[in-house]
mmCIF file of all heavy atoms in Angstrom:
data_model
loop_
_atom_site.group_PDB
_atom_site.id
_atom_site.type_symbol
_atom_site.label_atom_id
_atom_site.label_comp_id
_atom_site.label_asym_id
_atom_site.label_seq_id
_atom_site.Cartn_x
_atom_site.Cartn_y
_atom_site.Cartn_z
ATOM 1 N N ALA X 1 -8.621 -21.324 6.045
ATOM 2 C CA ALA X 1 -8.832 -22.082 7.301
ATOM 3 C C ALA X 1 -7.553 -22.567 7.993
ATOM 4 O O ALA X 1 -7.541 -22.500 9.149
ATOM 5 C CB ALA X 1 -9.548 -23.441 6.760
ATOM 6 N N LEU X 2 -6.513 -22.814 7.212
ATOM 7 C CA LEU X 2 -5.196 -23.188 7.830
ATOM 8 C C LEU X 2 -4.703 -21.921 8.624
ATOM 9 O O LEU X 2 -4.067 -22.158 9.671
ATOM 10 C CB LEU X 2 -4.250 -23.635 6.685
ATOM 11 C CG LEU X 2 -2.896 -23.961 7.230
ATOM 12 C CD1 LEU X 2 -2.987 -25.215 8.197
ATOM 13 C CD2 LEU X 2 -1.950 -24.386 6.078
ATOM 14 N N GLN X 3 -4.741 -20.789 7.992
ATOM 15 C CA GLN X 3 -4.244 -19.600 8.573
ATOM 16 C C GLN X 3 -4.902 -19.283 9.886
ATOM 17 O O GLN X 3 -4.317 -18.838 10.971
ATOM 18 C CB GLN X 3 -4.343 -18.313 7.659
ATOM 19 C CG GLN X 3 -3.358 -18.435 6.543
ATOM 20 C CD GLN X 3 -3.649 -17.306 5.469
ATOM 21 O OE1 GLN X 3 -4.587 -16.845 5.381
ATOM 22 N NE2 GLN X 3 -2.572 -16.895 4.824
ATOM 23 N N GLY X 4 -6.303 -19.563 9.845
ATOM 24 C CA GLY X 4 -7.029 -19.392 11.151
ATOM 25 C C GLY X 4 -6.583 -20.382 12.157
ATOM 26 O O GLY X 4 -6.558 -20.025 13.355
ATOM 27 N N LEU X 5 -6.269 -21.613 11.836
ATOM 28 C CA LEU X 5 -5.902 -22.584 12.783
ATOM 29 C C LEU X 5 -4.496 -22.244 13.385
ATOM 30 O O LEU X 5 -4.175 -22.359 14.541
ATOM 31 C CB LEU X 5 -5.733 -23.981 12.134
ATOM 32 C CG LEU X 5 -7.117 -24.664 11.791
ATOM 33 C CD1 LEU X 5 -6.871 -25.970 11.105
ATOM 34 C CD2 LEU X 5 -7.837 -24.975 13.151
ATOM 35 N N VAL X 6 -3.604 -21.782 12.424
ATOM 36 C CA VAL X 6 -2.195 -21.396 12.909
ATOM 37 C C VAL X 6 -2.269 -20.223 13.799
ATOM 38 O O VAL X 6 -1.434 -20.177 14.773
ATOM 39 C CB VAL X 6 -1.388 -21.109 11.676
ATOM 40 C CG1 VAL X 6 0.064 -20.458 12.109
ATOM 41 C CG2 VAL X 6 -1.117 -22.298 10.824
ATOM 42 N N GLN X 7 -3.213 -19.324 13.662
ATOM 43 C CA GLN X 7 -3.262 -18.023 14.441
ATOM 44 C C GLN X 7 -3.697 -18.494 15.912
ATOM 45 O O GLN X 7 -3.367 -17.704 16.898
ATOM 46 C CB GLN X 7 -4.209 -17.115 13.909
ATOM 47 C CG GLN X 7 -3.608 -16.301 12.616
ATOM 48 C CD GLN X 7 -4.594 -15.385 12.117
ATOM 49 O OE1 GLN X 7 -5.034 -14.438 12.506
ATOM 50 N NE2 GLN X 7 -5.043 -15.772 10.799
ATOM 51 N N SER X 8 -4.256 -19.641 16.073
ATOM 52 C CA SER X 8 -4.658 -20.103 17.388
ATOM 53 C C SER X 8 -5.276 -19.028 18.276
ATOM 54 O O SER X 8 -4.906 -18.916 19.488
ATOM 55 C CB SER X 8 -3.350 -20.716 18.105
ATOM 56 O OG SER X 8 -2.840 -21.698 17.233
ATOM 57 N N SER X 9 -6.258 -18.345 17.856
ATOM 58 C CA SER X 9 -6.948 -17.322 18.547
ATOM 59 C C SER X 9 -8.373 -17.479 18.586
ATOM 60 O O SER X 9 -8.995 -18.224 17.705
ATOM 61 C CB SER X 9 -6.596 -15.928 17.873
ATOM 62 O OG SER X 9 -7.446 -14.960 18.418
ATOM 63 N N ILE X 10 -9.079 -16.973 19.582
ATOM 64 C CA ILE X 10 -10.501 -17.217 19.673
ATOM 65 C C ILE X 10 -11.123 -16.441 18.541
ATOM 66 O O ILE X 10 -12.191 -16.671 18.074
ATOM 67 C CB ILE X 10 -10.965 -16.611 21.109
ATOM 68 C CG1 ILE X 10 -12.444 -17.007 21.225
ATOM 69 C CG2 ILE X 10 -10.725 -15.196 21.244
ATOM 70 C CD1 ILE X 10 -12.932 -16.654 22.572
ATOM 71 N N TYR X 11 -10.467 -15.317 18.084
ATOM 72 C CA TYR X 11 -10.994 -14.609 16.949
ATOM 73 C C TYR X 11 -10.992 -15.244 15.628
ATOM 74 O O TYR X 11 -11.812 -14.979 14.714
ATOM 75 C CB TYR X 11 -10.172 -13.252 16.815
ATOM 76 C CG TYR X 11 -10.119 -12.398 18.022
ATOM 77 C CD1 TYR X 11 -8.807 -12.191 18.497
ATOM 78 C CD2 TYR X 11 -11.253 -11.900 18.604
ATOM 79 C CE1 TYR X 11 -8.688 -11.247 19.696
ATOM 80 C CE2 TYR X 11 -11.094 -11.127 19.732
ATOM 81 C CZ TYR X 11 -9.925 -10.904 20.296
ATOM 82 O OH TYR X 11 -9.767 -10.106 21.470
ATOM 83 N N SER X 12 -10.207 -16.285 15.579
ATOM 84 C CA SER X 12 -10.068 -17.086 14.249
ATOM 85 C C SER X 12 -11.016 -18.245 14.111
ATOM 86 O O SER X 12 -11.073 -18.760 13.072
ATOM 87 C CB SER X 12 -8.611 -17.580 14.096
ATOM 88 O OG SER X 12 -8.267 -18.421 15.200
ATOM 89 N N VAL X 13 -11.672 -18.485 15.150
ATOM 90 C CA VAL X 13 -12.722 -19.639 15.173
ATOM 91 C C VAL X 13 -13.823 -19.458 14.200
ATOM 92 O O VAL X 13 -14.052 -20.366 13.371
ATOM 93 C CB VAL X 13 -13.346 -19.970 16.619
ATOM 94 C CG1 VAL X 13 -14.377 -21.000 16.387
ATOM 95 C CG2 VAL X 13 -12.230 -20.317 17.516
ATOM 96 N N PRO X 14 -14.491 -18.349 14.055
ATOM 97 C CA PRO X 14 -15.468 -18.040 12.923
ATOM 98 C C PRO X 14 -14.823 -18.206 11.640
ATOM 99 O O PRO X 14 -15.452 -18.834 10.596
ATOM 100 C CB PRO X 14 -16.017 -16.609 13.228
ATOM 101 C CG PRO X 14 -15.695 -16.393 14.696
ATOM 102 C CD PRO X 14 -14.414 -17.168 15.012
ATOM 103 N N LEU X 15 -13.595 -17.739 11.371
ATOM 104 C CA LEU X 15 -12.996 -17.814 10.166
ATOM 105 C C LEU X 15 -12.751 -19.281 9.648
ATOM 106 O O LEU X 15 -13.068 -19.614 8.533
ATOM 107 C CB LEU X 15 -11.560 -17.143 10.184
ATOM 108 C CG LEU X 15 -10.679 -17.242 8.867
ATOM 109 C CD1 LEU X 15 -11.405 -16.602 7.685
ATOM 110 C CD2 LEU X 15 -9.298 -16.528 9.111
ATOM 111 N N VAL X 16 -12.248 -20.115 10.615
ATOM 112 C CA VAL X 16 -12.024 -21.470 10.300
ATOM 113 C C VAL X 16 -13.336 -22.217 9.932
ATOM 114 O O VAL X 16 -13.474 -22.924 9.008
ATOM 115 C CB VAL X 16 -11.297 -22.216 11.483
ATOM 116 C CG1 VAL X 16 -11.209 -23.736 11.165
ATOM 117 C CG2 VAL X 16 -9.997 -21.682 11.663
ATOM 118 N N ALA X 17 -14.421 -21.990 10.789
ATOM 119 C CA ALA X 17 -15.696 -22.670 10.615
ATOM 120 C C ALA X 17 -16.376 -22.171 9.312
ATOM 121 O O ALA X 17 -16.820 -23.108 8.551
ATOM 122 C CB ALA X 17 -16.591 -22.308 11.709
ATOM 123 N N LEU X 18 -16.295 -20.916 8.970
ATOM 124 C CA LEU X 18 -16.930 -20.500 7.777
ATOM 125 C C LEU X 18 -16.110 -20.953 6.512
ATOM 126 O O LEU X 18 -16.834 -21.352 5.512
ATOM 127 C CB LEU X 18 -17.051 -18.933 7.741
ATOM 128 C CG LEU X 18 -17.921 -18.225 6.611
ATOM 129 C CD1 LEU X 18 -19.288 -18.850 6.730
ATOM 130 C CD2 LEU X 18 -17.884 -16.712 6.769
ATOM 131 N N SER X 19 -14.783 -20.962 6.570
ATOM 132 C CA SER X 19 -14.012 -21.530 5.375
ATOM 133 C C SER X 19 -14.337 -22.967 5.209
ATOM 134 O O SER X 19 -14.489 -23.298 4.080
ATOM 135 C CB SER X 19 -12.525 -21.340 5.836
ATOM 136 O OG SER X 19 -12.212 -20.001 5.896
ATOM 137 N N VAL X 20 -14.513 -23.776 6.316
ATOM 138 C CA VAL X 20 -14.811 -25.155 6.024
ATOM 139 C C VAL X 20 -16.186 -25.388 5.492
ATOM 140 O O VAL X 20 -16.469 -26.174 4.581
ATOM 141 C CB VAL X 20 -14.662 -25.977 7.334
ATOM 142 C CG1 VAL X 20 -15.155 -27.357 7.313
ATOM 143 C CG2 VAL X 20 -13.163 -25.827 7.952
ATOM 144 N N VAL X 21 -17.168 -24.548 5.974
ATOM 145 C CA VAL X 21 -18.510 -24.665 5.453
ATOM 146 C C VAL X 21 -18.604 -24.190 3.942
ATOM 147 O O VAL X 21 -19.364 -24.720 3.105
ATOM 148 C CB VAL X 21 -19.441 -23.880 6.252
ATOM 149 C CG1 VAL X 21 -20.879 -23.757 5.664
ATOM 150 C CG2 VAL X 21 -19.663 -24.521 7.637
ATOM 151 N N SER X 22 -17.886 -23.209 3.591
ATOM 152 C CA SER X 22 -17.924 -22.481 2.322
ATOM 153 C C SER X 22 -17.357 -23.447 1.212
ATOM 154 O O SER X 22 -17.672 -23.394 0.119
ATOM 155 C CB SER X 22 -17.257 -21.184 2.264
ATOM 156 O OG SER X 22 -17.771 -20.325 3.188
ATOM 157 N N LEU X 23 -16.310 -24.182 1.556
ATOM 158 C CA LEU X 23 -15.526 -24.923 0.439
ATOM 159 C C LEU X 23 -16.477 -25.829 -0.342
ATOM 160 O O LEU X 23 -16.448 -25.744 -1.576
ATOM 161 C CB LEU X 23 -14.360 -25.704 1.101
ATOM 162 C CG LEU X 23 -13.563 -26.354 0.045
ATOM 163 C CD1 LEU X 23 -12.937 -25.495 -0.867
ATOM 164 C CD2 LEU X 23 -12.354 -27.079 0.903
ATOM 165 N N PRO X 24 -17.342 -26.768 0.381
ATOM 166 C CA PRO X 24 -18.163 -27.617 -0.414
ATOM 167 C C PRO X 24 -19.286 -26.822 -1.217
ATOM 168 O O PRO X 24 -19.608 -27.366 -2.236
ATOM 169 C CB PRO X 24 -18.771 -28.510 0.687
ATOM 170 C CG PRO X 24 -18.528 -27.853 1.959
ATOM 171 C CD PRO X 24 -17.297 -27.097 1.802
ATOM 172 N N VAL X 25 -19.630 -25.833 -0.595
ATOM 173 C CA VAL X 25 -20.684 -25.024 -1.330
ATOM 174 C C VAL X 25 -20.239 -24.419 -2.554
ATOM 175 O O VAL X 25 -20.860 -24.582 -3.600
ATOM 176 C CB VAL X 25 -21.257 -23.888 -0.394
ATOM 177 C CG1 VAL X 25 -22.317 -22.917 -1.117
ATOM 178 C CG2 VAL X 25 -21.891 -24.437 0.762
ATOM 179 N N VAL X 26 -18.971 -23.864 -2.462
ATOM 180 C CA VAL X 26 -18.398 -23.331 -3.728
ATOM 181 C C VAL X 26 -17.979 -24.389 -4.645
ATOM 182 O O VAL X 26 -18.244 -24.112 -6.006
ATOM 183 C CB VAL X 26 -17.149 -22.372 -3.328
ATOM 184 C CG1 VAL X 26 -16.404 -21.963 -4.569
ATOM 185 C CG2 VAL X 26 -17.571 -21.285 -2.469
ATOM 186 N N ALA X 27 -17.590 -25.516 -4.236
ATOM 187 C CA ALA X 27 -17.177 -26.529 -5.048
ATOM 188 C C ALA X 27 -18.317 -27.056 -5.874
ATOM 189 O O ALA X 27 -18.182 -27.517 -7.005
ATOM 190 C CB ALA X 27 -16.529 -27.769 -4.209
ATOM 191 N N LEU X 28 -19.517 -27.090 -5.169
ATOM 192 C CA LEU X 28 -20.772 -27.724 -5.918
ATOM 193 C C LEU X 28 -21.300 -26.737 -7.029
ATOM 194 O O LEU X 28 -22.067 -27.103 -7.763
ATOM 195 C CB LEU X 28 -21.751 -28.035 -4.944
ATOM 196 C CG LEU X 28 -21.558 -29.238 -4.080
ATOM 197 C CD1 LEU X 28 -22.572 -29.332 -2.938
ATOM 198 C CD2 LEU X 28 -21.429 -30.553 -4.806
ATOM 199 N N THR X 29 -20.870 -25.551 -7.082
ATOM 200 C CA THR X 29 -21.396 -24.500 -7.961
ATOM 201 C C THR X 29 -20.388 -24.353 -9.135
ATOM 202 O O THR X 29 -20.432 -23.287 -9.828
ATOM 203 C CB THR X 29 -21.683 -23.170 -7.284
ATOM 204 O OG1 THR X 29 -20.360 -22.666 -6.673
ATOM 205 C CG2 THR X 29 -22.623 -23.300 -6.212
ATOM 206 N N ARG X 30 -19.593 -25.264 -9.277
ATOM 207 C CA ARG X 30 -18.460 -25.075 -10.420
ATOM 208 C C ARG X 30 -19.026 -24.779 -11.781
ATOM 209 O O ARG X 30 -18.587 -23.972 -12.498
ATOM 210 C CB ARG X 30 -17.623 -26.308 -10.537
ATOM 211 C CG ARG X 30 -16.548 -26.342 -11.533
ATOM 212 C CD ARG X 30 -15.753 -27.534 -11.515
ATOM 213 N NE ARG X 30 -14.576 -27.571 -12.464
ATOM 214 C CZ ARG X 30 -14.585 -27.824 -13.686
ATOM 215 N NH1 ARG X 30 -15.681 -28.104 -14.368
ATOM 216 N NH2 ARG X 30 -13.485 -27.618 -14.413
#
């Protein structure tokens, strides 16, 4: 997510969004 923000590109928007959504899902499946 941080790398996507730093790249500051329109291509990195889906990466940032999916990374943010995936983190709590993965965390809940510990």
Side-chain angles (χ1 to χ4, degrees):
L2 180 61
Q3 287 171 334
L5 289 173
V6 171
Q7 291 177 65
S8 302
S9 166
I10 189 174
Y11 304 120
S12 62
V13 174
L15 173 62
V16 175
L18 191 59
S19 297
V20 172
V21 171
S22 301
L23 184 58
V25 175
V26 174
L28 290 174
T29 59
R30 182 178 185 275

